Amino acid sequence: MLIDPNIENSDVVNHAIDHARRQNLVLPTFSELVNPHQLSASRLDEIQSAPFNEPHARNLFRINWFNDHESTEWRSEPAWLELPTALTGVPARIVVVLGDTFPMITAHKVLAAYACLVTRLVTGRFNPDANKAIWPSTGNYCRGGIAISRILGCRGVAVLPEQMSQERFNWLDKWTLRPEEDIIRTTGSESNVKEIYDACDELSRDPASVVLNQFNEFANYLCHRNVTGPSLGTLYEAVAGKGDQLTAFIAGTGSAGTIAAGDHLKAKYGTQIVATEPLECPTMQNNGYGEHNIQGIGDKHIPLIHNVMNLDYLMGISDVGPDLLNVLFNTDEGRRYVSKRCQLDPQTVAGYKHMGLSGLANVQSAIKLAKHADLNEKDILLCVATDGADLYESELHDAVKHHFNGQVESTDAAEIFGRCLAGCEPAHVNELTTEDRRRIFNLGYYTWVEQRGISVEDFDRRKRQSFWDDIGHQQSDWDALIVEFNQRAAA
């Protein structure tokens, strides 16, 4: 079930090192990704000279939270924005960390893709000269995987539902080496993950195929706990005033990688971990099912890498809310209304374009939590915006057509504000008990034991926090393997 930081096949590692030497690759360690400021001046100059949105080897070092929208230099803390009380209607400080500063795919899922492949590369579980990397996803992770595959000079195949946003497919058409073969469209929408698994099972009949399934790759958990978690801690410490506390960390579950950052934040700051789930597919809330359009957050099953027993709150959000907020923040009439209604500078409102659909859902979760728990101005609620609105222009067009007959008026903007912000009441807020967590944990049995063949013993040991802590403590071992790999490739 786990990939331990030990070399499995030295011959394959040797092939990978020869390949890296030919490609002039240097692999960043997890420590370097969590603290890129400590890189040497010469390395920084090399990185900053590389084209940001091209598959350049130096962009591997940009797979961190400290990129800037406007500059090639690292920020002192991750890019963020704070939503004012005039907008949210609550006194609690809602801070949104922005994932669209990541290179190549403008989404932070490229970090998980790198972690999942590099851990296989340095242990002899992936030969870039002989293997194909199969990237099952609902959009951003597979794009990250294709970007990493391009940099490594190996074949990458994206597997994703056919109903994901057109912008995802447009990007894949440009980045895959053989678009007609390397983009696999499966039946359904965001929540149709079993269909993705079935397609991967078919592809894995080819012994050259290596499936890097973000839902069960524990490197996904590792990188977010050890890279995203400390990076967000840096952000919290930068924005906190005297007496402020990091009350909650809010993320969609998706593959359950990003929410692993909450394990670090809880251990260090006592932060509560909040999961956002679509009401249209209430798997954790109600053992439910269905389709939804909050792309990236709810997938009709419990990922193997989800540390469910450390979860504090579960928030149900309808996909109508993010769709409408996308309209409010990314149409001229919507932005004008928000500027006037909240007395905000138009440039401030323009910055809300950095929140994609899942980010907007997390903002609604934060508002609900603030109302439910009666939080005040000393409470900081940290939300994740995985990507920005540029990946949802086609969804914006469809929402305007569906809800407003193709034209947004000021009254429509007022309706959205009242419905999705001022009227965002604390319904479908679940404060989890131990029994609730056990119920959610047990739901994973049907996917991972009955369907995917994980042993009951391996499945059950994930109940213990020590299991997850042990994974987090592996970082130094992984970094040592990466350093050794680089040294041999440079020799």
Side-chain angles (χ1 to χ4, degrees), residues 227-338:
V227 176
T228 299
S231 299
L232 301 192
T234 298
L235 172 58
Y236 159 61
E237 292 176 9
V239 303
K242 184 177 180 180
D244 288 350
Q245 61 179 350
L246 184 53
T247 301
F249 170 66
I250 302 167
T253 49
S255 69
T258 306
I259 205 166
D263 284 6
H264 170 85
L265 298 173
K266 175 177 280 191
K268 186 168 184 179
Y269 306 106
T271 306
Q272 293 183 306
I273 303 172
V274 181
T276 300
E277 185 178 60
L279 286 173
E280 289 78 8
C281 186
T283 304
M284 291 188 291
Q285 298 166 79
N286 197 31
N287 297 9
Y289 52 87
E291 293 189 349
H292 68 94
N293 194 46
I294 310 177
Q295 298 183 23
I297 76 160
D299 303 297
K300 209 158 53 181
H301 77 315
I302 308 301
L304 190 69
I305 68 166
H306 191 180
N307 184 10
V308 170
M309 301 305 291
N310 211 25
L311 193 61
D312 296 294
Y313 279 92
L314 179 59
M315 299 289 181
I317 300 294
S318 171
D319 63 5
V320 175
D323 276 345
L324 292 179
L325 287 175
N326 190 28
V327 173
L328 185 67
F329 294 146
N330 295 292
T331 61
D332 291 339
E333 194 57 53
R335 285 189 292 263
R336 277 195 292 269
Y337 177 85
V338 171

Side-chain angles (χ1 to χ4, degrees), residues 61-75:
F61 285 87
R62 279 190 171 128
I63 301 175
N64 68 68
W65 284 95
F66 295 91
N67 297 292
D68 189 79
H69 289 115
E70 308 296 336
S71 171
T72 60
E73 296 183 0
W74 305 134
R75 296 171 54 95

Side-chain angles (χ1 to χ4, degrees), residues 320-322 324-325 328 364 367 415-424:
V320 175
L324 292 179
L325 287 175
L328 185 67
Q364 287 194 296
I367 295 172
E415 176 189 342
I416 296 171
F417 189 95
R419 180 176 179 178
C420 301
L421 293 171
C424 187

